[in-house]
Amino acid sequence: MIAMNSPLEQLNTAVLTDTDHLLRLIVWNDEVNTFEWVIETLVTVCGHSEEQAEQSAMIIHTHGKYAVKSGEYGTLKPMCDAITERGIGATIEECVSH
């Protein structure tokens, strides 16, 4: 049995805490939504500047997807829901480190 607050327990807690921050909000390209709609959505929902939203929309268009935000699930989930409610594909994914 491992004692409370052992180094192993502290390590496990630290890993779980770090994982909470390793999430990305991905917006997906489609053939339906206009650049203007995606830009407006990123400004309104994600708090992007107009320039940041335009750059993100171009990356989404050319690469098929783009991580528009990163953070904790509790922050990203409402944004993801708001984006999908506007008819734009969005998912939350774990960051993958190489």
Side-chain angles (χ1 to χ4, degrees), residues 6 14 16 26 45 48-49 55 63 66 77 79 81 90-92:
S6 70
L16 290 174
I26 307 293
V45 174
H48 285 192
S49 68
Q55 292 172 351
H63 293 277
Y66 182 62
K77 177 65 171 146
M79 290 181 190
D81 291 344
T91 55
I92 297 173

Side-chain angles (χ1 to χ4, degrees), residues 6-84:
S6 70
L8 181 57
E9 184 178 40
Q10 290 170 1
L11 176 62
N12 287 339
T13 302
V15 170
L16 290 174
T17 302
D18 288 344
T19 302
D20 291 343
H21 298 282
L22 299 176
L23 298 173
R24 305 179 301 169
L25 175 58
I26 307 293
V27 175
W28 296 85
N29 187 43
D30 61 35
E31 300 301 321
V32 178
N33 292 290
T34 64
F35 275 93
E36 292 78 17
W37 182 239
V38 173
I39 291 166
E40 179 184 325
T41 298
L42 293 175
V43 169
T44 303
V45 174
C46 298
H48 285 192
S49 68
E50 189 78 20
E51 181 179 15
Q52 184 181 14
E54 289 173 7
Q55 292 172 351
S56 295
M58 184 55 72
I59 295 169
I60 293 164
H61 176 71
T62 57
H63 293 277
K65 67 179 183 175
Y66 182 62
V68 298
K69 281 280 191 184
S70 61
E72 296 180 7
Y73 183 81
T75 302
L76 299 180
K77 177 65 171 146
M79 290 181 190
C80 186
D81 291 344
I83 292 169
T84 58

